[in-house]
Structures are given as structure tokens and as C-alpha cells.
Amino acid sequence: MTELVATTPGLFPLPDWAKDRLSDLKGHQKSDLIAGDETGELAETYDDVRTELVETQIDAGLDRVTEGQGRWDDMLAHPLTVHDSVETRGIVRYYDNNNFYREPVVAGDLTPGGDVAQELEAAATQTDDLQAVLPGPYTLAELATNEHYADRSAFLNAVAEFLAGEVAEFPAHETLFLLEPSLVEDAPEDGFDALASEAIDAVAEATDAEVVVHPFYGALDEKVYAHLMDADVDAIGFDLVANHEQNVYNVQEYGTKDSVALGVVDGQNTLVEDPETVRERFEWFDSQIPAQEFDTVYLTSNTELFYLPVNKAEAKAETLANAADLEEVTQ
């Protein structure tokens, strides 16, 4: 019988009180509101943010709880922008939207730093249903600039090794979501798509948890998807909000893993879906793949939630939890 698990890709919006306090502590320019080596009251503020974001997810009834990533002002580039071997330079557009991050320029060896592990250890004191979140290696490499490694392939391998080293330091966690929007937005060319799959493998091998690779902002090219199927992961994500038809075609044509993650609420639109609509989206997807019964279906937003106002992000989390608890929908 299929288990429905309500979760999110993390990166929740900062509570309004936290924005005000961080502004007072770090200055008035947006470029100063960037996580790094926090101490004192600044570190305490981020601790308070984490506590609230975890409590919000628990109160919403989610089955998997992320750390919330309140410090990730550079979004998915965060694990590099706080690294000692990385220089941060100009402000870069975060995909095709009005969010921006500092360009991480890798100028030295990418050794594990334990930054994300520390956040997860703190979150683990609040929940036994912990879900770790990281950028996938291909996405993190694409968001960065390499000024240290020999070539693009060597850089991707180094990023994968770096992330695997980070994962090895994580506390016990139920799932690991590797967010890979660049597989859609900046699809790897022939040959490099296989390397991207191998890099994902390297990160997945570092944990005993269930590993979900979650691309979004659309659907994967067929060849990219076929290579991703070679990765030894437990589930692949499908953005049913941005492109449900191509995503279903990929599954029909190339199959998928025994479990899937489905982006069934819109992480970039303030309209809050009702649980019945979300459940119907899952049931529709399931009906298109009649030959396969999934072990686990992760019901999630298609993108990270930081695009949304706080109340809308909370409402969508509740929708996902309620959708997972509904009785079977009749088609």
C-alpha cells in the first residue's frame, strides 16, 4: 500500500519579526543581510528563527520536518557562500525571478565545513521526523564559479565530494532532499548528464536515509531524465505545477523509482490550494502510471517556499498535511 508523506523542500520565508531584527543587527542594506559566521545576538536570532520554523511545520502536521533554512539568504548557493575557500562577489539573479544571491567563487579546496550539520543538530532536538535539505551537486556547481579546479568535470566532482562530506556529518535523518532545479533550467549537455547522475550518486551514498532528487521549474529533458534514473536514489521529484504533461511522459517512457515526490502545490503563487485539489493531482498522476504501485509518495510544494508570505507558506504546509490524511479520492 502506498504511503503518502507530506513534506516541503524547505527554505521557508523569514518571519516578519526576524526580518526586522536582522535588519537592525546587520545594517540596512540588503547585501548585508547574509548569513556567515554569526555570534552573539545574531546567532541567537537565527536559533529563534529555526525554532519557530520547525514548530510551524510540526503544528501544520507535516510528516517530515526540515530545519527551515532561515539562514540561507543565498538560497541554494548557501553551502558555498559560507565556506572558507569561497569568495562572494556580485549579486546574481536566482533563476528567472526577482530573487538574488551572492555569486560564490571557489578559490580553494572544498573541504567539509559542517555548517548544515550544525543547523540539523539543533533542529533534531525538536523533531524525530527530520528531513535534511541540500542543493544537489549539479545545481550547486552551476550556481557557482570555479577558479580552482582543473575543469568543469573536476569541479562537479569536487562539489559532490564536498556535499557528501557534509552529509556524513549530519545527525540521524529520515530523508534527504537534494534540490536540483538546474537540471531543468540549465540542463547538462550530452555526456555531462551522465556525470551529473554520478555526482548525485556520490552524495546519496553518504547517507542511510531515503534520498529524493527534486528537480523543479518544469520537467527534465528526456536524456537528462534517463541518466537520472541511473542514480542510486530512492525517489525522483516531479513538478506537476509547472509541467505535468512532460513529467508524466518521462515516467511513462522511462519508468521511475519505487517512490516519487510530487510537486502538487505552487511554491510561487499565493493562491492556497485545498487538500482535495492536491489529492486529486496525486490521484491523476497515479492513474497515468497504472502498472506501478509506489512505496512512498512525497506530497510537496513544487519549489522552495521562501517566495511566499509567511502566512501563505504556513497555509500550504497545512494543505499538504491535510491532503495526505484524506481518504482515497474517487476519480
Side-chain angles (χ1 to χ4, degrees), residues 130-260:
L130 187 64
Q131 174 175 295
V133 172
L134 279 176
Y138 178 77
T139 287
L140 188 56
E142 288 296 294
L143 292 174
T145 297
N146 168 36
E147 290 189 355
H148 178 69
Y149 293 93
D151 55 32
R152 189 176 175 217
S153 297
F155 182 51
L156 176 60
N157 290 337
V159 170
E161 290 177 10
F162 160 67
L163 290 174
E166 293 288 315
V167 171
E169 298 183 29
F170 286 0
H173 50 288
E174 295 292 321
T175 51
L176 168 62
F177 259 51
L178 295 176
L179 307 186
E180 282 282 17
S182 288
L183 286 176
V184 175
E185 287 289 314
D186 302 297
E189 65 275 15
D190 288 351
F192 210 78
D193 44 14
L195 294 179
S197 177
E198 293 170 6
I200 290 169
D201 260 341
V203 181
E205 288 175 0
T207 180
D208 293 328
E210 299 287 298
V211 178
V212 180
V213 179
H214 187 46
F216 48 91
Y217 300 135
L220 297 174
D221 292 342
E222 290 183 54
K223 288 192 68 175
V224 174
Y225 180 77
H227 280 291
L228 183 56
M229 277 294 293
D230 293 334
D232 188 15
V233 299
D234 298 282
I236 294 174
F238 301 96
D239 183 346
L240 299 188
V241 174
N243 192 337
H244 60 279
E245 292 183 357
Q246 182 63 38
N247 275 310
V248 164
Y249 171 81
N250 285 343
V251 177
Q252 291 172 336
E253 189 71 16
Y254 301 100
T256 195
K257 304 293 183 177
D258 291 336
S259 298
V260 294

